[in-house]
Amino acid sequence: MDTVSGTAWRPAARVAGMGTSIFTEMTELARATGAINLGQGVPELASPPALLRDVADAVLAGANQYPPAAGLLALREAVAAHQERCYGLAYDPAAEVLVTTGATEALAAAVLALCDPGDEIIAFDPCYDAYAADARLAGATLVGVPLAVDGEGFLLDGDALRAAVTPRTRALILNTPHNPTGKVFTPAELAAVAALCQEHDLTVITDEVYEHLVYTDRPHLPIAALPGMRERTVTVSSAGKTFNTTGWKVGWVSGPAPLVAAVNAAKQFLTYASGTPYQGALARALGSVEEWAAGLRAELRANRDLLTEGLRAAGLRPFRADAGYFVQADVRPAGYRDGVAFCRELPGRVGVVAIPTSAFQLAEGPRWLVRFSFCKRPAVLEDAVARLRRSAD
Ligand code: PMP
Ligand code: GLN
């Protein structure tokens, strides 16, 4: 009996104990303490002005009603053209591309559509928090394969991956570039994942939202582009990180028609469709994304360097961030064994919010890792770094 309402209300088992996401919690902590928020990956960087104007024009011109459930054809065509141009992957915009309400919905719909209760889904650990929740909503279990901490990076452990496969394994979620580590899976690692998925007939659901934010010379390589992988892979991405428009929540799926149809079956009853005025504008922006992304990468690479050096100067041991929004740091050199304790004290002690990497860990892993985000204005990062440095003196 719920003693407040006097009814027999209780949460369904699939959400019981899920609580508030770590991002909400940390952003609220930053607000309450006035600390600089290097926790949640919310970009403070500019969006393409033409894209913003296009959305405003579309709203004023009346593009305010439901789009087709699968998304405006113009955006599906732009996604298909993008996959072909950037990665040599050909998809039929009418049957093999689906627009979703952010990558978040795409991932949830894909897991709901492609996994049954009792199935196991493999993901690399640590991982983005939505994957475990999506598995649970589907009645499936997320099985973590720890990424090995090696020097200043994170590596795929092929033995651990093979050991994680059971007769119940149905799918694998692959996030590259990776949040929260900033890792980019190497071609050899992707080949090992691909071989395993083919050997065990696993479906692959990818999360490529940071596809355009790779800071090394080797561009992003979707696993769907590897031999034998297109037919078993549902590729997910979104506009949020590429155009600094995380509040618009427009994402997309590409894959073989039967898999995309299954994802659409779930997606149409989650949201039906997603923001019409954004879709037309994003279709145009995606057409020339390479030029935009080159500038954004330059900004983010400089931010990464600034934050990495600042963390080092503050007595932490930063890891290499080859992509995305985040740097991992080992807090042990600053006298902490536990990232949670470090992050709990950081706002009051230093005036900065960060996220303990353990919040992304499926199983007990290194407790001493903390994630800092660098998708902020350089002045904000300078301020954060100065605060961290002062605290180390
Ligand atoms: N996957 C990863 C790895 C992320 O970092 C995020 C956060 N943007 C998402 C998915 C969610 O993307 P979206 O905002 O498009 O739903
Ligand atoms: N992707 C962002 C992060 O990892 C935030 C996502 C969210 O707030 N749900 O920080």
Side-chain angles (χ1 to χ4, degrees), residues 21-22 27 33 44 89 126 132 165-166 181 201 204 261 302 313 320 339 366 369 386:
S21 101
I22 186 71
T27 291
T33 58
E44 283 179 355
L89 279 164
V165 180
T166 77
T181 64
D201 203 11
V204 179
R320 202 179 61 243
L369 286 170

Side-chain angles (χ1 to χ4, degrees), residues 201-225:
D201 203 11
L202 308 183
T203 301
V204 179
I205 300 166
T206 75
D207 179 346
E208 307 184 20
V209 299
Y210 299 100
E211 63 186 314
H212 287 292
L213 307 183
V214 177
Y215 313 123
T216 62
D217 293 337
R218 200 179 55 221
H220 174 61
L221 174 61
I223 197 165

Side-chain angles (χ1 to χ4, degrees), residues 41 101-105 107 128 131 175 177-179 207 209-210 237-241 246 249-251 326:
T101 303
T104 304
E105 188 200 28
L107 291 160
Y128 189 56
Y131 310 155
N175 171 216
H178 186 256
N179 177 8
D207 179 346
V209 299
Y210 299 100
S237 193
S238 98
K241 308 293 148 98
T246 59
K249 301 301 294 188
V250 178
F326 310 107

Side-chain angles (χ1 to χ4, degrees), residues 76-96:
R76 285 183 280 148
E77 285 171 348
V79 169
H82 172 271
Q83 297 303 97
E84 171 96 61
R85 220 170 54 235
C86 295
Y87 311 123
L89 279 164
Y91 292 104
D92 171 4
E96 298 189 313

Side-chain angles (χ1 to χ4, degrees), residues 137-220:
L137 292 175
T141 306
L142 195 67
V143 174
V145 172
L147 289 171
V149 178
D150 178 65
E152 54 165 20
F154 296 83
L155 302 179
L156 171 77
D157 177 344
D159 294 337
L161 175 59
R162 272 187 297 280
V165 180
T166 77
R168 297 188 152 201
T169 311
R170 177 87 171 258
L172 180 145
I173 299 179
L174 178 69
N175 171 216
T176 184
H178 186 256
N179 177 8
T181 64
K183 171 184 173 59
V184 176
F185 281 69
T186 64
E189 288 175 328
L190 293 178
V193 174
L196 179 110
C197 292
Q198 290 178 47
E199 186 184 337
H200 296 280
D201 203 11
L202 308 183
T203 301
V204 179
I205 300 166
T206 75
D207 179 346
E208 307 184 20
V209 299
Y210 299 100
E211 63 186 314
H212 287 292
L213 307 183
V214 177
Y215 313 123
T216 62
D217 293 337
R218 200 179 55 221
H220 174 61

